[in-house]
Amino acid sequence: MFGERVEGRPMVRDRLGSTDAPSGVLVGVSPVAVSEPETGAKKSGVENIGLLHVLVVDDDETVRKACCQIASGMGFAVVLGAESATTAREILKYQRVDVLLLDLKLPGGGGLPLLEQVKALHPDTAVIVMTAFATVASAVEAMRIGAGDYLTKPFALEELTIVLERTAKQLELDVQSRQLRERLRTQQGMGGLVGRSPEMEKLYRILSKVAYSTHPVLILGESGTGKELVARSIHFNGPNAAKPFVAVDCGSLVPTLIDIELFGHVKGASTGADRAKEGLLASAEGGTVFLDEIGELPLDLQAKLLRALQEKEVRPVGSTVARPISVRVLAATNRDLVAMVEQGRFRKDLYFRLNVVNLRIPPLRSRREDIAALAMHFLKRLERETGAVRSFSDSMLRVMTEYDWPGNVRELENAIERACALSSGPLLHMGDLPTQLQNFRLRQEPSVRTEMKAERGEGVRSENGEIVSIAEMEKHAILGTIRQLNGDKLMAARLLGIGKTTLYRKLKEYGISEGLGV
């Protein structure tokens, strides 16, 4: 260990209490080479994110040099050490620092003010504070300000090594998380997630963190929101992307088949079982099993799944021997599992086991700013598949943006495919959309029929064959509706899908203020 002084000089001490080591040399339980590394050498957690720069700030020169020597031996790039907060501030002005080893007792203002300044100006810099037993409270305050770890003096050689390795690993995860979040935002990440709305940005932030963990994740959302796409993004952007991803629809199989699919069976377990079958939980070794519609799983199978997750082993149907498994479980549902737990239809213990992290996928109506981007994404994909280049008319994009999409992204994708299949030209019109969208638009504006005909180049004619203007058609629709309702203007506005203020303004333009009743 080091950090104590004998006759005013720093002294190194190991865990057995020996003080025979020369000053400035670290001694610990496990020997670690501290010689200068070869050029380009990278070890420990540093290897995946390039050379990390370390600055040691301590007024004790021997301690400072020893820390620098250990960091250098581990493969870090060591910046010239600083003996005071003032010197450290000067270095930080021109030198990149990834890891800061900071003593809290410093001349020139102390360590805490320097820590606050570093986290304000360089928030990505990882800070490890060093403190004596008498200043543990200061270490706690430092962690609150933003320090990532701390060492209590005197500390051993291996403690410093472990903390530096842990910090390097955390920096690596932070870099990977930022890269994944950016890939997802720019539609370069796997899984096909598209969107730049605040709701999707929030989802990307959580996804970028859970992708690198092994915890179960519960994915919640309405049908068609893309829960399986989210599950695939978690798997294929994580460290086990090369391992299997297995999806199981718990709502499409009868209970006996789900049992066999998940856990497998041995030869002769049932009629027709002439050979053993490996379950999906075992076959996805090291990978991910995605349990879609987990709320449809029967209670007895819920208990069996819970035991498999807790014990990390499965027992195939008809077998007396359990088999160990190593698999990550992602589950999804559009049901309210909390309500199902209260009703006794879903096991509370399984809910807590799956709900370590939960992701709620926003419905499409909550992120309307993403609709146009999604529509273009599906259109481009169809263009690659068919070779036909198409585009949307302005009115069609407007309709799609205003529509609520109860079927969410899946409904939008199907609508685009239908429009492309029925379109007679490269420009897609409102008339190419499914019936429910056309009806929605007709309720919004009485002039839409005219707009749809105009888009297709069709003339609008009266009974005597004369061309009728759009404004005239709108007037005819408004006045005709009011007459049919015996002058009830409020009901007419409601049926026409316009506000009452708009209706009264139109009537004023027509020079009508009273009447229209039959």
Side-chain angles (χ1 to χ4, degrees):
M1 296 184 180
F2 69 88
E4 298 177 342
R5 292 178 179 270
V6 178
E7 296 180 353
R9 183 186 62 183
M11 179 67 68
V12 176
R13 181 184 301 276
D14 65 16
R15 292 185 184 275
L16 301 178
S18 170
T19 58
D20 296 332
S23 176
V25 179
L26 297 181
V27 178
V29 175
S30 303
V32 176
V34 294
S35 58
E36 290 295 325
E38 296 178 5
T39 304
K42 298 175 187 177
K43 304 176 183 177
S44 299
V46 189
E47 58 188 55
N48 292 326
I49 53 173
L51 212 56
L52 293 175
H53 293 72
V54 176
L55 172 64
V56 182
V57 185
D58 197 306
D59 61 331
D60 189 322
E61 183 180 3
T62 305
V63 172
R64 189 169 65 247
K65 287 184 177 179
C67 289
C68 290
Q69 192 175 11
I70 288 296
S72 178
M74 292 175 65
F76 291 89
V78 178
V79 180
L80 182 66
E83 73 284 353
S84 68
T86 303
T87 305
R89 289 187 181 94
E90 290 299 317
I91 293 175
L92 287 166
K93 286 181 180 179
Y94 61 85
Q95 175 65 53
R96 165 194 158 193
V97 173
D98 302 299
V99 181
L100 180 66
L101 271 167
L102 175 64
D103 187 19
L104 293 182
K105 291 290 184 179
L106 288 173
L112 287 178
L114 177 59
L115 172 60
E116 287 184 312
Q117 185 176 4
V118 168
K119 296 311 291 184
L121 300 177
H122 312 282
D124 293 334
T125 298
V127 180
I128 304 168
V129 298
M130 299 182 290
T131 179
F133 285 117
T135 56
V136 170
S138 297
V140 173
E141 175 64 13
M143 299 290 282
R144 187 192 66 78
I145 294 173
D149 216 326
Y150 73 95
L151 288 163
T152 303
K153 292 183 177 180
F155 51 83
L157 158 80
E158 63 178 12
E159 291 179 272
L160 175 60
T161 303
I162 290 171
V163 169
L164 285 173
E165 286 181 343
R166 185 164 61 219
T167 301
K169 183 63 177 176
Q170 186 58 54
L171 285 171
E172 178 184 357
L173 290 175
D174 290 345
V175 169
Q176 291 174 340
S177 176
R178 287 195 297 272
Q179 290 173 344
L180 171 56
R181 188 161 65 246
E182 186 59 28
R183 285 204 309 273
L184 291 169
R185 290 178 67 250
T186 57
Q187 304 177 26
Q188 296 174 5
M190 299 184 69
L193 296 176
V194 177
R196 301 291 293 272
S197 62
E199 291 82 2
M200 291 302 290
E201 292 285 357
K202 180 180 178 182
L203 179 63
Y204 296 152
R205 285 194 296 272
I206 302 175
L207 276 177
S208 64
K209 295 178 180 178
V210 301
Y212 295 100
S213 72
T214 58
H215 305 302
V217 178
L218 183 59
I219 306 170
L220 306 173
E222 298 177 6
S223 293
T225 50
K227 296 186 288 294
E228 184 170 344
L229 290 179
V230 170
R232 289 182 179 276
S233 286
I234 292 173
H235 173 75
F236 288 108
N237 286 290
N240 298 321
K243 299 294 179 65
F245 176 88
V246 180
V248 183
D249 187 350
C250 299
S252 65
L253 299 173
V254 297
T256 53
L257 290 180
I258 298 177
D259 194 352
I260 292 173
E261 284 291 310
L262 289 178
F263 307 104
H265 66 72
V266 297
K267 182 179 179 180
S270 61
T271 303
D274 56 349
R275 66 182 65 183
K277 176 180 173 61
E278 187 176 47
L280 296 177
L281 289 173
S283 65
E285 183 69 21
T288 301
V289 171
F290 172 57
L291 302 176
D292 197 10
E293 302 302 339
I294 188 68
E296 307 297 331
L297 200 65
L299 282 170
D300 57 336
L301 290 183
Q302 292 178 26
K304 194 169 182 178
L305 175 61
L306 174 65
R307 180 171 180 80
L309 296 179
Q310 288 179 330
E311 304 299 328
K312 298 188 184 303
E313 62 181 22
V314 295
R315 192 173 67 184
V317 176
S319 175
T320 58
V321 179
R323 173 179 173 177
I325 59 172
S326 174
V327 66
R328 184 180 193 180
V329 173
L330 308 177
T333 184
N334 59 4
R335 289 176 172 267
D336 186 349
L337 289 188
V338 175
M340 292 181 67
V341 168
E342 294 174 352
Q343 297 164 6
R345 297 160 54 203
F346 198 86
R347 292 183 63 102
K348 181 185 293 186
D349 44 9
L350 178 59
Y351 172 74
F352 289 130
R353 171 63 61 177
L354 296 173
N355 195 38
V356 175
V357 178
N358 77 63
L359 292 172
R360 188 168 294 277
I361 315 302
L364 196 51
R365 61 183 174 275
S366 297
R367 52 184 189 107
R368 295 183 187 276
E369 55 266 57
D370 292 334
I371 291 176
L374 279 163
M376 292 302 301
H377 170 74
F378 293 134
L379 194 64
K380 291 295 183 184
R381 191 173 68 186
L382 287 169
E383 180 182 321
R384 290 193 296 269
E385 293 174 0
T386 64
V389 179
R390 296 183 177 90
S391 59
F392 298 112
S393 66
D394 292 342
S395 59
M396 185 177 179
L397 278 175
R398 187 168 66 251
V399 171
M400 291 191 295
T401 303
E402 294 172 354
Y403 185 59
D404 277 346
W405 299 104
N408 292 294
V409 180
R410 185 183 295 127
E411 183 183 5
L412 173 62
E413 181 180 8
N414 292 339
I416 302 301
E417 289 183 0
R418 179 190 187 278
C420 290
L422 298 181
S423 174
S424 57
L427 186 63
L428 302 178
H429 302 290
M430 286 196 300
D432 299 319
L433 290 172
T435 305
Q436 67 270 22
L437 273 90
Q438 295 188 37
N439 291 339
F440 163 78
R441 192 54 176 167
L442 289 172
R443 290 194 301 270
Q444 294 297 103
E445 291 183 18
S447 61
V448 167
R449 292 185 183 87
T450 303
E451 185 177 349
M452 290 170 63
K453 287 186 176 182
E455 280 186 343
R456 294 186 176 276
E458 300 176 12
V460 182
R461 299 177 181 271
S462 64
E463 293 181 355
N464 59 14
E466 295 179 354
I467 299 294
V468 179
S469 69
I470 292 176
E472 189 63 29
M473 288 289 293
E474 180 184 73
K475 178 180 178 180
H476 177 76
I478 292 175
L479 299 183
T481 302
I482 295 176
R483 287 193 182 94
Q484 290 180 38
L485 295 173
N486 299 321
D488 190 338
K489 299 181 181 64
L490 293 181
M491 181 60 72
R494 189 175 298 114
L495 291 178
L496 290 168
I498 60 177
K500 64 177 184 179
T501 303
T502 302
L503 179 66
Y504 282 106
R505 178 173 54 80
K506 291 290 184 182
L507 291 176
K508 185 177 180 180
E509 290 175 4
Y510 305 151
I512 299 172
S513 57
E514 299 292 340
L516 293 180
V518 177

